[in-house]
Amino acid sequence: MASIVMMVVAAAAPLTVMAANSPLIIAMGNGIAAPLDAAIATLIMYLFTAGFIVMSRYVTNAGAFYAYIQKGLGRQVGLASATLATASYTFIVLALEAYLGYTLAELLHNTLSISVPWWVMSFVVVFVAGFLGYRHIEMSSRFLGVALVLEVGVVLLADLVVLATKGPAVLDPAPFTLYAALSGSPGLGLMFAIYCFIGFESTVIFRDEARNPEVTIPRATYIAVFGVGLFYVISMWCEVAGIGLGQTVQMANEHTGDMYLIFINTYMGKVASDIVNVLLITSLFACILAFHNVVVRYQFVMARYNVLPSVISRVHDTHESPHMSSLVQTGTSLVGLIVLVVLGLDPVTQIYAWAATAGTLGYIVILSMTCLSILAFFNVRRAGKGHVWHTLVAPVGALGGLLLCLGIAIANLPTLIGGDNASVAAWGVGVLVIVSFVVGYGAAGRLKMKDPARFEALKELA
């Protein structure tokens, strides 16, 4: 169970969230209410998990969201969600690989005066992630474990330093007041907070590699949701309190990219700030590795049922890993990066911004569809099964929160993407997400017409 929880929390990338997401929640959202946003996002994820886990009793494979969606909404919608999920996570992996390549190139230039193109470093990242993903999950979890302990440790140490320096009284309840919650753009703040939990369904994806999954998977999922949520609430509260409730918003607007590093430097000194900068790189890589493994498992399960070429479902004799699927994902990243480099796109303002937005938009759609599937499964197909809290109340609450976030994301796509021609790019991002779903839906329809036996076999995915 520890390895699975590690993979989930690594996907959440706690240090990356504090350094990159928390300034956005403060600057573009509702300011000092960032810890409240984290608490509400935790509640939404708990409501989602309550139904998700109960339904896991009826979904016995590692297919994750698309297996759940298919169970309640049918095979054709399920396959469409599978292609959407694979595309969404692939976009996120590409975004992170480009961003990390740029960060590594800048680090080499600033510290050793070595100039290396960002894409060279991105290719190195792809190959290292591919090597670790090729091997058993335990190999990945060892790296993730070290990186995770270090990054979580340094954030918690910063929290303790703030408390030791200013005393417990520094934790003013103002961030949790209605006034703070309604200031600025509370919807955007909540949306960015939801982003902080992306990848938590990894617990279910790794069920085939878990001992006693009926017990392990629910425990791991709840531990991940509440552990990550509590971590963000406390750390963001210490962050806004440490900077100062009256200065936090201005700080986030003026130093969005390095606010957390400045915060660390203020309380722990330059050496600690430099260490955090290095750990931020390991945090980004841990996140890439976690999402690489998620995509690999999505492809692996689809290949097992001939949705993708069966060769992708091969398991390594020694490593007992879905190594062919890992090779496919590594190749996808390489080809994608080569195309983007040839197009001359900027690694941060274009590749990262556009691909990350496309991925997270698709992710919220998948979460919403999963809620609908849970509701359909327990209230239409298997009416009367399960407790009303898990099968109706919690899924409805989660769906309401997620649809709110989705609506806000769509309405603010140009702002989220930023840069020149933001509106055009926003349309492009939206089209990519829609096309990935339509392609899967069309493929399922074609399969149903051309090969009814194979289409019928898709029910085994659920």
Side-chain angles (χ1 to χ4, degrees), residues 13 121 168 192 194 417 446:
M121 301 310 300
F192 282 119
I194 290 287
I417 290 174
R446 186 174 184 276

Side-chain angles (χ1 to χ4, degrees), residues 66 68 81 85 165 204 206 281 306 365 382 385 388 406 432:
Y66 66 82
Y68 290 71
S81 70
T165 302
V204 178
F206 294 111
I281 290 174
N306 296 317
V365 172
R382 298 217 176 188
K385 292 285 186 180
V388 67
L406 181 61
L432 283 174

Side-chain angles (χ1 to χ4, degrees), residues 180-338:
L182 297 179
S183 65
S185 301
L188 281 179
L190 179 58
M191 184 191 66
F192 282 119
I194 290 287
Y195 289 173
C196 298
F197 287 84
I198 193 166
F200 83 99
E201 85 285 0
S202 302
T203 54
V204 178
I205 290 175
F206 294 111
R207 70 174 294 126
D208 286 349
E209 296 159 85
R211 297 182 182 90
N212 193 9
E214 297 299 322
V215 175
T216 300
I217 297 305
R219 286 181 181 174
T221 307
Y222 281 119
I223 288 172
V225 169
F226 285 112
V228 168
L230 184 62
F231 175 87
Y232 290 150
V233 172
I234 293 174
S235 298
M236 289 184 192
W237 195 3
C238 288
E239 181 184 21
V240 299
I243 294 172
L245 299 182
Q247 293 79 43
T248 300
V249 175
Q250 181 180 351
M251 180 77 160
N253 281 299
E254 294 178 355
H255 299 278
T256 307
D258 58 353
M259 184 181 83
Y260 196 71
L261 292 176
I262 294 173
F263 167 72
I264 292 292
N265 188 42
T266 301
Y267 282 92
M268 301 172 64
K270 188 177 186 307
V271 173
S273 179
D274 291 339
I275 292 173
V276 169
N277 205 10
V278 173
L279 289 178
L280 181 58
I281 290 174
T282 64
S283 176
L284 282 166
F285 182 75
C287 192
I288 290 170
L289 181 57
F291 284 128
H292 173 93
N293 279 302
V294 169
V295 174
V296 165
R297 268 67 184 181
Y298 267 97
Q299 295 174 161
F300 172 74
V301 174
M302 285 192 289
R304 281 175 58 185
Y305 296 95
N306 296 317
V307 177
L308 293 177
S310 59
V311 66
I312 298 176
S313 67
R314 290 182 183 175
V315 176
H316 198 280
D317 294 335
T318 302
H319 304 308
E320 299 179 341
S321 63
H323 65 296
M324 293 304 295
S325 183
S326 181
L327 289 175
V328 169
Q329 169 54 22
T330 301
T332 300
S333 287
L334 287 174
V335 172
L337 283 171
I338 289 171

Side-chain angles (χ1 to χ4, degrees), residues 46-55 57 222 371 374-375 378-379 385-396:
Y46 161 68
L47 293 174
F48 178 90
T49 301
F52 186 60
I53 289 302
V54 170
M55 195 167 179
R57 300 170 188 170
Y222 281 119
C371 285
I374 293 169
L375 290 169
F378 285 111
N379 296 281
K385 292 285 186 180
H387 192 280
V388 67
W389 169 258
H390 297 97
T391 61
L392 180 62
V393 179
V396 167

